[in-house]
Amino acid sequence: GLKYLQEMLTLRQKLYPGLDHPDVAHSLHEVGSSLERMGQHSKGVRLMRKGLAMRQRLLRGNSGFTR
């Protein structure tokens, strides 16, 4: 499953290059969570934090995307 989650993250990052977007934030969290469960704690936590920071920016209204 991790391979497909990583592919989805890559596709979403290409769709929204350089933008904060809820779909990218979700994919970052999903990949990070999978890595963390597989024992790659530092990589997983880093991606989950990146996704969380993106969601926080979205909630503050620093992006045109909301959900």
Side-chain angles (χ1 to χ4, degrees), residues 1-10 12 22-38 40 43-52 55:
L2 177 60
K3 175 184 172 185
Y4 298 109
L5 291 172
Q6 289 171 322
E7 286 178 18
M8 181 58 72
L9 173 59
T10 299
R12 287 176 170 172
D23 292 342
V24 176
H26 179 76
S27 285
L28 284 165
H29 183 270
E30 291 295 315
V31 172
S33 181
S34 291
L35 287 169
E36 199 273 332
R37 285 192 306 269
M38 294 171 60
Q40 297 182 41
K43 282 177 85 173
V45 169
R46 182 175 45 84
L47 288 177
M48 288 189 287
R49 285 184 177 160
K50 189 173 178 180
L52 176 61
R55 285 180 176 163

Side-chain angles (χ1 to χ4, degrees), residues 11 16 19 21-23 27-28 45-46 57 60:
L11 288 173
Y16 309 106
L19 298 175
H21 191 278
D23 292 342
S27 285
L28 284 165
V45 169
R46 182 175 45 84
R57 288 190 301 272
R60 283 195 306 261

